[in-house]
Amino acid sequence: MATKLRAKKATPKKKAPARKPVMKKVTAATHSTNGKKPAVTSSPKGKKFPFAPTRLKLLRPVPSDIEIAQAGKLKPILQIAEELGIKESELELFGPYKAKVKLEILDRLARRPNGKYIDVTAITPTPLGEGKTTTTVGVSQALGAHLGKRVMTVIRQPSQGPTFGIKGGAAGGGYSQIIPMEDFNLHLTGDIHAITAAHNLCAAALDARMMHESMQDDEKLFAALCPPDKKGNRKFSPSMLRRLKKLGIDKADPNELTPEERSRFSRLDIDPNGIQWRRVIDVNDRFLREVQVGLGKDEAGHEHRSGYDITVASEIMAILALTTGLEDMRDRLGRMVVAVNKQGEAVTAEDLGVAGAMTVLMKDAIKPNLMQTLEGTPAFVHAGPFANIAHGNSSIIADKIALKLADYVITESGFGADCGMEKFFDIKCRYSGLIPQVVVIVATVRALKMHGGGPKVVAGKPLAPEYTDENLDLLRKGLPNLTQHIENAIKFGVNVVVAVNSFATDTPAELELIRQTATEAGAMDAVVSRHWMEGGKGAIALAEAVVKACEKPAKFEFLYDVNLSIKEKIEIICREIYRADGVDYSPEAEAKIEQFTKLGFDKLPMNMAKTHLSFTHDASIKGAPRGFRVPIRDIRASVGAGFLYPLLGEMRTMPGLPTRPVFYDVDLDLKTGKVVGLF
């Protein structure tokens, strides 16, 4: 058993060398370390690379996140890349402090063994969040800047919606952040904008196709799709050839098609009630949730209801996160089901002829974004799928590159372990083929007291005294939530470490009670961490526990076999992860199960769309409830991404702005040019 209160363990006294920013091209001889030799990171991969950690100047009280981030000393991104062993020719620079990494690097590193793969998740959180990203960054800083390990952080890019809404940004917090923080939270390199453009192009193509089909007979439609040139010759586009293959028409010359084949090829015959593709925008705009389109003079008679989701809920975002390369992304975009026809058959983006153009819009977004932490350790920021409707994990491509470059890769799953971790294992790892060794479950005294029956926690309002005063009875009642998450992780055959994200009001007795409970539940260790206030130094004990857990044997396995029926997969997740007594299906869900089984979509994994605030479908039910049933009101298909998503209760795909959004505080200091008000 670990000694009590690991956070009190003495911190190693070695100091990270200070450094000055370097704007010129960096070579091994030009690392700026104030006259000292760069630190050397040893790697089991057989090479030694110079690494210059960035020294933190810790202040008390801890300043705001943006003040800390803007005071941080940035290394040139060329130096970050060189320290990792990335060639300059493998980069596309976006200014001096961020870059995209070309996918060709995977070919060069193909023979290199993978590093250790660690997922950071959490107990069921409060609406405030329990610090997963901060912990992810803190552990990486401890491993790289203090323990001399070759490490890489891999996290999602945040949506502009919560950044300007109420949650704020997602770069971490305190002294454990990704920088430049403003770039991280706003635009970055434009990936989310590319997804918005690609998604809305598909929506425009769908509505236009339906209108044109309604106005033309088969022959005119075919002539418009394959117009003859001056010599009377016609040709198929690459996307058309893919559609012909799907239809079983083995002809490459449009003039050879029979009238029946021309009709089958040209007419999608979309059912207006079968449209499954809406529009997206990366803003919390509640008034766009449901809209009426087609109100223009030229579109008279084609009016219909549509709506907007937030961009990170787009299936294209989920595809970006799950794809393994350009060819795979092209295929996945083509497989996206946008509607069904009047015969009940799936109509895809490939059928619309738009998948190739969407791939062009996404060709740069597929490259991971290279950034750094406050202590100069490297980070990939790539993809940002919604953690309810999608799987809530960063990209497979970023993880694959990181695992070739580093000995320890720390990634993060969205929301609690019943959401993001389960999807990380059963969806992301299934498609990537990557094997995780360790799960870090982040817990807080605050959240566990809430699960024990504490007062409601509301963002923007002060915590009740129950959360700031010692209350062991309340904490003890909430501990079953932590225990269930630990047991769930162990079911996947991975090693578990609990990170107690410490707050100033936590008492030694409360922290020890959590540690004791966690180890009794099967965690290899439970460590108090103070990375928010101390950076990597505050997470050294946690990082050491992670390294130790990585050295222990693990036998990863999926929770279910994808070849089981849709209902069997849903019920395994509900029984084994949520501990439900059973599942109830609405008539609509039953109809979708029958339809998707006929269409051959039943062998896809399940992506459960549920609240992150409870093990159940009801956000108000806390702790580790028993004796409940899960209602499935609908099931939808993200065939291109590669999953079905059952809807548990009401799920919104477009958040709304509160009365007092955080954008009130965001502004530009016109004297310095600095962004203010982000957090």
Side-chain angles (χ1 to χ4, degrees), residues 116-149:
K116 301 293 186 182
Y117 199 23
I118 300 115
D119 180 47
V120 177
T121 183
I123 62 172
T124 307
T126 68
L128 307 177
E130 307 320 305
K132 287 194 313 296
T133 306
T134 310
T135 303
T136 302
V137 176
V139 171
S140 291
Q141 291 179 162
L143 285 167
H146 297 269
L147 298 180
K149 306 293 186 182

Short mmCIF file of all heavy atoms in Angstrom, two decimals, residues 116-149:
data_model
loop_
_atom_site.label_atom_id
_atom_site.label_comp_id
_atom_site.label_asym_id
_atom_site.label_seq_id
_atom_site.Cartn_x
_atom_site.Cartn_y
_atom_site.Cartn_z
N LYS A 116 4.26 4.34 -24.31
CA LYS A 116 3.16 3.94 -23.43
C LYS A 116 1.99 4.89 -23.65
O LYS A 116 2.16 6.09 -23.80
CB LYS A 116 3.60 3.97 -21.97
CG LYS A 116 4.79 3.06 -21.65
CD LYS A 116 4.45 1.60 -21.80
CE LYS A 116 5.60 0.71 -21.34
NZ LYS A 116 5.29 -0.73 -21.53
N TYR A 117 0.78 4.33 -23.60
CA TYR A 117 -0.44 5.04 -23.96
C TYR A 117 -1.30 5.20 -22.71
O TYR A 117 -1.76 4.21 -22.13
CB TYR A 117 -1.17 4.21 -25.01
CG TYR A 117 -2.19 4.89 -25.86
CD1 TYR A 117 -2.20 6.26 -26.09
CD2 TYR A 117 -3.17 4.12 -26.50
CE1 TYR A 117 -3.14 6.85 -26.92
CE2 TYR A 117 -4.12 4.69 -27.33
CZ TYR A 117 -4.10 6.06 -27.53
OH TYR A 117 -5.04 6.62 -28.36
N ILE A 118 -1.52 6.44 -22.28
CA ILE A 118 -2.21 6.72 -21.02
C ILE A 118 -3.41 7.61 -21.29
O ILE A 118 -3.29 8.66 -21.94
CB ILE A 118 -1.26 7.41 -20.01
CG1 ILE A 118 -0.06 6.51 -19.71
CG2 ILE A 118 -1.99 7.79 -18.73
CD1 ILE A 118 1.25 7.06 -20.17
N ASP A 119 -4.57 7.21 -20.79
CA ASP A 119 -5.79 8.01 -20.95
C ASP A 119 -6.16 8.65 -19.62
O ASP A 119 -6.19 7.99 -18.57
CB ASP A 119 -6.95 7.13 -21.42
CG ASP A 119 -8.24 7.91 -21.59
OD1 ASP A 119 -8.19 8.98 -22.21
OD2 ASP A 119 -9.28 7.44 -21.11
N VAL A 120 -6.45 9.96 -19.65
CA VAL A 120 -6.90 10.67 -18.45
C VAL A 120 -8.41 10.87 -18.55
O VAL A 120 -8.91 11.41 -19.53
CB VAL A 120 -6.20 12.04 -18.31
CG1 VAL A 120 -6.74 12.79 -17.10
CG2 VAL A 120 -4.69 11.85 -18.19
N THR A 121 -9.12 10.41 -17.54
CA THR A 121 -10.57 10.54 -17.49
C THR A 121 -10.94 11.03 -16.09
O THR A 121 -10.09 11.56 -15.38
CB THR A 121 -11.23 9.19 -17.84
OG1 THR A 121 -12.66 9.35 -17.87
CG2 THR A 121 -10.85 8.09 -16.87
N ALA A 122 -12.20 10.87 -15.70
CA ALA A 122 -12.61 11.44 -14.41
C ALA A 122 -13.83 10.71 -13.86
O ALA A 122 -14.50 9.95 -14.57
CB ALA A 122 -12.93 12.93 -14.57
N ILE A 123 -14.11 10.99 -12.60
CA ILE A 123 -15.38 10.56 -12.02
C ILE A 123 -16.49 11.39 -12.65
O ILE A 123 -16.23 12.29 -13.44
CB ILE A 123 -15.37 10.72 -10.48
CG1 ILE A 123 -15.19 12.20 -10.10
CG2 ILE A 123 -14.29 9.86 -9.85
CD1 ILE A 123 -15.36 12.48 -8.61
N THR A 124 -17.73 11.09 -12.32
CA THR A 124 -18.84 11.89 -12.82
C THR A 124 -18.68 13.32 -12.29
O THR A 124 -18.65 13.54 -11.08
CB THR A 124 -20.18 11.30 -12.35
OG1 THR A 124 -20.23 9.92 -12.71
CG2 THR A 124 -21.34 12.04 -12.99
N PRO A 125 -18.55 14.29 -13.18
CA PRO A 125 -18.14 15.63 -12.74
C PRO A 125 -19.30 16.49 -12.23
O PRO A 125 -20.47 16.20 -12.46
CB PRO A 125 -17.55 16.24 -14.01
CG PRO A 125 -18.36 15.60 -15.11
CD PRO A 125 -18.64 14.19 -14.65
N THR A 126 -18.93 17.58 -11.58
CA THR A 126 -19.86 18.67 -11.32
C THR A 126 -19.96 19.51 -12.60
O THR A 126 -19.15 19.32 -13.52
CB THR A 126 -19.35 19.57 -10.18
OG1 THR A 126 -18.17 20.25 -10.64
CG2 THR A 126 -19.02 18.77 -8.94
N PRO A 127 -20.89 20.44 -12.68
CA PRO A 127 -20.93 21.31 -13.86
C PRO A 127 -19.68 22.16 -14.03
O PRO A 127 -19.46 22.74 -15.10
CB PRO A 127 -22.16 22.20 -13.60
CG PRO A 127 -23.02 21.39 -12.68
CD PRO A 127 -22.07 20.64 -11.81
N LEU A 128 -18.82 22.23 -12.99
CA LEU A 128 -17.60 23.02 -13.07
C LEU A 128 -16.46 22.26 -13.73
O LEU A 128 -15.45 22.86 -14.11
CB LEU A 128 -17.16 23.45 -11.65
CG LEU A 128 -18.22 24.15 -10.79
CD1 LEU A 128 -17.65 24.45 -9.41
CD2 LEU A 128 -18.70 25.43 -11.46
N GLY A 129 -16.60 20.94 -13.86
CA GLY A 129 -15.49 20.12 -14.35
C GLY A 129 -14.50 19.86 -13.23
O GLY A 129 -14.36 20.66 -12.31
N GLU A 130 -13.78 18.75 -13.31
CA GLU A 130 -12.89 18.37 -12.21
C GLU A 130 -11.41 18.48 -12.55
O GLU A 130 -10.55 18.04 -11.80
CB GLU A 130 -13.22 16.94 -11.73
CG GLU A 130 -14.69 16.75 -11.39
CD GLU A 130 -15.30 17.94 -10.65
OE1 GLU A 130 -14.77 18.35 -9.61
OE2 GLU A 130 -16.33 18.49 -11.13
N GLY A 131 -11.09 19.06 -13.72
CA GLY A 131 -9.69 19.33 -14.03
C GLY A 131 -8.97 18.26 -14.82
O GLY A 131 -7.78 18.04 -14.62
N LYS A 132 -9.67 17.59 -15.76
CA LYS A 132 -9.01 16.55 -16.56
C LYS A 132 -7.90 17.12 -17.42
O LYS A 132 -6.80 16.57 -17.47
CB LYS A 132 -10.02 15.83 -17.45
CG LYS A 132 -10.95 14.89 -16.75
CD LYS A 132 -11.69 13.98 -17.71
CE LYS A 132 -12.28 14.69 -18.89
NZ LYS A 132 -13.33 15.67 -18.52
N THR A 133 -8.21 18.21 -18.14
CA THR A 133 -7.20 18.78 -19.03
C THR A 133 -6.01 19.31 -18.23
O THR A 133 -4.85 19.10 -18.60
CB THR A 133 -7.80 19.91 -19.88
OG1 THR A 133 -8.96 19.42 -20.55
CG2 THR A 133 -6.80 20.41 -20.90
N THR A 134 -6.30 19.99 -17.13
CA THR A 134 -5.23 20.50 -16.28
C THR A 134 -4.36 19.35 -15.77
O THR A 134 -3.13 19.46 -15.73
CB THR A 134 -5.83 21.27 -15.08
OG1 THR A 134 -6.78 22.20 -15.57
CG2 THR A 134 -4.77 22.00 -14.29
N THR A 135 -4.99 18.25 -15.40
CA THR A 135 -4.24 17.08 -14.93
C THR A 135 -3.43 16.46 -16.06
O THR A 135 -2.26 16.08 -15.87
CB THR A 135 -5.21 16.04 -14.33
OG1 THR A 135 -5.96 16.64 -13.27
CG2 THR A 135 -4.45 14.83 -13.79
N THR A 136 -4.03 16.37 -17.24
CA THR A 136 -3.32 15.82 -18.40
C THR A 136 -2.04 16.62 -18.65
O THR A 136 -0.96 16.05 -18.85
CB THR A 136 -4.22 15.88 -19.65
OG1 THR A 136 -5.41 15.13 -19.39
CG2 THR A 136 -3.52 15.31 -20.86
N VAL A 137 -2.16 17.93 -18.64
CA VAL A 137 -1.00 18.79 -18.88
C VAL A 137 -0.02 18.71 -17.72
O VAL A 137 1.20 18.63 -17.91
CB VAL A 137 -1.44 20.25 -19.12
CG1 VAL A 137 -0.24 21.17 -19.27
CG2 VAL A 137 -2.33 20.34 -20.36
N GLY A 138 -0.54 18.71 -16.49
CA GLY A 138 0.34 18.65 -15.31
C GLY A 138 1.19 17.40 -15.27
O GLY A 138 2.39 17.45 -14.96
N VAL A 139 0.58 16.25 -15.58
CA VAL A 139 1.34 14.99 -15.60
C VAL A 139 2.42 15.05 -16.68
O VAL A 139 3.56 14.62 -16.47
CB VAL A 139 0.40 13.79 -15.84
CG1 VAL A 139 1.19 12.52 -16.08
CG2 VAL A 139 -0.53 13.61 -14.65
N SER A 140 2.07 15.59 -17.85
CA SER A 140 3.06 15.70 -18.92
C SER A 140 4.22 16.60 -18.52
O SER A 140 5.38 16.29 -18.79
CB SER A 140 2.38 16.25 -20.19
OG SER A 140 1.50 15.31 -20.74
N GLN A 141 3.92 17.72 -17.88
CA GLN A 141 4.97 18.63 -17.43
C GLN A 141 5.87 17.95 -16.40
O GLN A 141 7.10 18.10 -16.44
CB GLN A 141 4.36 19.91 -16.85
CG GLN A 141 3.70 20.78 -17.90
CD GLN A 141 3.06 22.05 -17.35
OE1 GLN A 141 2.78 22.98 -18.07
NE2 GLN A 141 2.80 22.09 -16.05
N ALA A 142 5.26 17.20 -15.51
CA ALA A 142 6.06 16.49 -14.49
C ALA A 142 6.97 15.45 -15.14
O ALA A 142 8.16 15.35 -14.81
CB ALA A 142 5.14 15.83 -13.47
N LEU A 143 6.42 14.69 -16.08
CA LEU A 143 7.21 13.65 -16.74
C LEU A 143 8.36 14.25 -17.55
O LEU A 143 9.49 13.77 -17.48
CB LEU A 143 6.32 12.82 -17.66
CG LEU A 143 5.38 11.81 -16.99
CD1 LEU A 143 4.35 11.30 -17.99
CD2 LEU A 143 6.16 10.65 -16.40
N GLY A 144 8.06 15.31 -18.31
CA GLY A 144 9.07 15.85 -19.22
C GLY A 144 10.02 16.82 -18.59
O GLY A 144 11.25 16.72 -18.76
N ALA A 145 9.50 17.79 -17.83
CA ALA A 145 10.33 18.87 -17.30
C ALA A 145 10.98 18.53 -15.97
O ALA A 145 11.93 19.21 -15.56
CB ALA A 145 9.49 20.14 -17.16
N HIS A 146 10.50 17.49 -15.27
CA HIS A 146 11.02 17.19 -13.93
C HIS A 146 11.60 15.78 -13.81
O HIS A 146 12.52 15.56 -13.02
CB HIS A 146 9.93 17.40 -12.88
CG HIS A 146 9.45 18.81 -12.80
ND1 HIS A 146 10.00 19.74 -11.94
CD2 HIS A 146 8.50 19.48 -13.49
CE1 HIS A 146 9.40 20.91 -12.10
NE2 HIS A 146 8.48 20.77 -13.05
N LEU A 147 11.05 14.83 -14.55
CA LEU A 147 11.53 13.45 -14.46
C LEU A 147 12.36 13.03 -15.66
O LEU A 147 12.84 11.90 -15.73
CB LEU A 147 10.35 12.49 -14.27
CG LEU A 147 9.51 12.69 -13.00
CD1 LEU A 147 8.37 11.68 -12.94
CD2 LEU A 147 10.38 12.57 -11.75
N GLY A 148 12.52 13.93 -16.63
CA GLY A 148 13.40 13.63 -17.77
C GLY A 148 12.88 12.59 -18.72
O GLY A 148 13.66 11.93 -19.42
N LYS A 149 11.57 12.42 -18.80
CA LYS A 149 10.98 11.44 -19.72
C LYS A 149 10.60 12.11 -21.04
O LYS A 149 10.25 13.29 -21.07
CB LYS A 149 9.72 10.81 -19.10
CG LYS A 149 9.92 10.21 -17.72
CD LYS A 149 10.81 8.99 -17.74
CE LYS A 149 10.88 8.33 -16.37
NZ LYS A 149 11.79 7.16 -16.36
#
